Amino acid sequence: MTLDPAVAPLEVDPLLDDPQTRIIVCCGSGGVGKTTTAAALGVRAAERGRKVVVLTIDPARRLAQSMGIDSLDNTPRQVKGIEGSGELHAMMLDMKRTFDEIVEAHADPDRAHAILENPFYQSLSAGFAGTQEYMAMEKLGQLRARDEWDLIVVDTPPSRSALDFLDAPKRLGSFLDGKFIRLLMAPAKMGGRAGMKFLNVGMSMMTGTLGKLLGGQFLRDVQTFVAAMDTMFGGFRTRADATYRLLQAPGTAFLVVAAPERDALREAAYFVERLAAEGMPLAGLVLNRVHGSGAARLSAERARAAAENLEEGRIVDQGRGKDGVREAAAPAGSSPDAPEAPEASRTPEPHEESQTSDPSNSEPPSVNQLTAGLLRLHAERMQVLKREQRTRDRFTALHPEVPVAEVAALPGDVHDLAGLRTIGVRLAGEDPVPGTS
């Protein structure tokens, strides 16, 4: 599949080599190869001389396996086997551990212990809606603040909306500023008898209603958590807003990753529009798993016709140099000296049919049968190419300003550094899709 000349190619190597590029965020719908793309970019950047860390939010262990690491956790681990002057580190977000680190860093030991042991906090840090996306923002901010790496490559969460992490600061702010939280925080802020009076009136009203649904112990756990976290809420908002601004900065580049399929490219179009609305710098689209053919000039229609000719006992008339066909068998009433019909077109005798119907006595397929099967497979492949081309053209027509890089589909999964290097080479456009010019 060839790119329309009107569509600008995505130049990956200049992006990776630019020292001003400090963060690359790979986003897209689930199952399109974000994790592999992020890892391949990290390997290529490191082998071109940069010090890189890849942060994956994907709970799958493919990244660790492909980099030859037993496991990934919340601590960056150096990847061995990198060829070149750079370094590559990799890590996988541990949502709860990141939350714990924030508490330990921004609260005194006694208060930190009270928070960490609080049942509501334990539920919140382990799986509260939006916590993973917010913690991804926190970890990105931590890595950037350390200024230890030239480049941070982020693999976004595998949620349906891969831009959920952009909304995390706003959702957190809404949660912290909500009426429920303000009500629970009010007694601690008012203090003294006024606070106790408010607590007795306000909490008794709320407990009478919500306690029946959630349980009085749950509400007490929430209030204890809010009281302990009160001084930290402002810090959450401040850091989230700072990371959000960091994502809008010129040193950040977003890559939308998609497959050449209708649903994936529809999501990609949404991501492109959303990034533009949020003022996020978009570098381009990575189109993964693009199919190609070494015989693209042979159309699906011609391949099917040739397969039918072979299966019906006809052959290509090579002598005339044309695509016409002639019957290989002699017509009825022909001369006795006419050549005998080829074996493939001769009607089998009854005893031969009985032999071929028995799998134990069946003969291997003929050359014609094998060739016809290959032609039909080629016809199916050409249909896939046509569908992918049509789908991609629909996207580029809507967003002609978005540079595109195509990555040819590999015969198997990527499971080592060599495979990631191959993806990196194809991302950079050094290995075009087979069968294209």
Side-chain angles (χ1 to χ4, degrees):
M1 190 160 71
T2 57
L3 278 172
D4 188 328
V7 179
L10 172 60
E11 298 182 350
V12 171
D13 283 348
L15 178 68
L16 298 178
D17 294 342
D18 186 355
Q20 300 301 315
T21 303
R22 302 298 302 274
I23 298 172
I24 294 178
V25 181
C26 297
C27 58
S29 57
V32 296
K34 293 193 306 294
T35 301
T36 301
T37 299
L41 289 169
V43 170
R44 190 165 182 85
E47 296 191 336
R48 295 176 70 86
R50 303 198 71 180
K51 188 175 182 181
V52 187
V53 60
V54 176
L55 168 64
T56 182
I57 324 296
D58 193 339
R61 304 289 171 170
R62 294 190 307 274
L63 182 63
Q65 295 168 356
S66 64
M67 293 184 172
I69 300 175
D70 292 337
S71 63
L72 293 178
D73 53 25
N74 223 35
T75 302
R77 299 180 183 275
Q78 186 168 359
V79 177
K80 305 298 182 182
I82 293 299
E83 302 171 356
S85 58
E87 292 182 13
L88 177 63
H89 297 75
M91 61 183 298
M92 184 164 63
L93 178 72
D94 184 328
M95 181 174 63
K96 187 178 187 311
R97 183 59 204 149
T98 300
F99 213 148
D100 292 349
E101 290 172 354
I102 297 170
V103 172
E104 293 167 352
H106 296 90
D108 60 73
D110 291 340
R111 178 167 291 191
H113 178 75
I115 294 172
L116 296 176
E117 294 299 318
N118 183 272
F120 179 74
Y121 167 79
Q122 293 173 358
S123 298
L124 175 70
S125 60
F128 193 76
T131 304
Q132 184 185 51
E133 288 80 9
Y134 177 78
M135 288 304 130
M137 296 279 282
E138 279 278 355
K139 182 56 68 176
L140 174 59
Q142 291 174 11
L143 293 172
R144 186 65 183 87
R146 289 167 63 175
D147 203 27
E148 185 176 344
W149 293 277
D150 298 337
L151 177 64
I152 302 169
V153 182
V154 182
D155 167 34
T156 55
S159 55
R160 182 187 180 281
S161 177
L163 296 182
D164 278 349
F165 68 98
L166 293 180
D167 293 325
K170 297 177 182 177
R171 287 202 305 271
L172 180 71
S174 299
F175 171 71
L176 298 180
D177 292 332
K179 294 180 180 179
F180 180 64
I181 294 298
R182 290 204 306 269
L183 179 62
L184 294 176
M185 291 172 64
K189 288 187 174 182
M190 295 176 66
R193 294 182 178 179
M196 290 303 298
K197 182 178 180 181
F198 182 91
L199 176 64
N200 291 336
V201 176
M203 285 302 293
S204 62
M205 292 172 57
M206 185 172 61
T207 302
T209 304
L210 296 180
K212 296 178 181 179
L213 299 174
L214 304 176
Q217 183 60 47
F218 172 80
L219 291 178
R220 286 189 291 273
D221 290 340
V222 173
Q223 187 191 15
T224 303
F225 164 77
V226 170
M229 290 284 287
D230 184 19
T231 57
M232 295 180 58
F233 283 155
F236 275 109
R237 274 192 292 264
T238 300
R239 289 191 303 278
D241 291 342
T243 304
Y244 193 80
R245 290 193 298 272
L246 182 65
L247 292 174
Q248 294 175 314
T252 299
F254 281 82
L255 289 176
V256 177
V257 184
E261 300 166 1
R262 183 177 60 183
D263 291 343
L265 280 172
R266 184 185 297 117
E267 288 289 304
Y270 162 73
F271 299 146
V272 167
E273 294 161 6
R274 175 69 193 281
L275 289 168
E278 298 287 340
M280 302 291 176
L282 173 65
L285 171 73
V286 174
L287 201 57
N288 268 333
R289 302 166 187 162
V290 176
H291 291 90
S293 172
R297 288 183 294 179
L298 178 59
S299 68
E301 293 76 12
R302 290 178 61 194
R304 279 194 295 267
E308 290 173 2
N309 290 339
L310 287 169
E311 290 171 343
E312 293 174 3
R314 295 178 290 177
I315 60 174
V316 176
D317 190 353
Q318 297 176 339
R320 290 187 297 168
K322 299 180 180 180
D323 290 334
V325 297
R326 61 182 175 84
E327 294 293 341
S334 61
S335 170
D337 296 330
E340 185 179 354
E343 184 69 22
S345 64
R346 186 167 59 85
T347 302
E349 297 296 330
H351 72 279
E352 293 177 328
E353 290 183 353
S354 63
Q355 289 177 346
T356 56
S357 63
D358 182 359
S360 62
N361 297 326
S362 62
E363 296 180 358
S366 66
V367 173
N368 282 3
Q369 290 172 325
L370 289 173
T371 304
L374 291 175
L375 286 168
R376 291 193 181 280
L377 286 175
H378 175 76
E380 293 176 4
R381 170 59 65 91
M382 294 306 296
Q383 286 182 314
V384 171
L385 265 63
K386 186 175 182 180
R387 183 173 65 249
E388 290 181 356
Q389 181 89 38
R390 185 169 57 249
T391 305
R392 191 210 59 199
D393 289 349
R394 188 178 298 117
F395 172 88
T396 55
L398 289 172
H399 299 284
E401 77 286 357
V402 178
V404 179
E406 292 190 350
V407 180
L410 296 179
D413 293 334
V414 175
H415 55 79
D416 54 19
L417 284 177
L420 293 176
R421 286 193 189 97
T422 300
I423 295 294
V425 166
R426 298 187 179 198
L427 275 168
E430 296 180 4
D431 188 7
V433 178
T436 63
S437 58

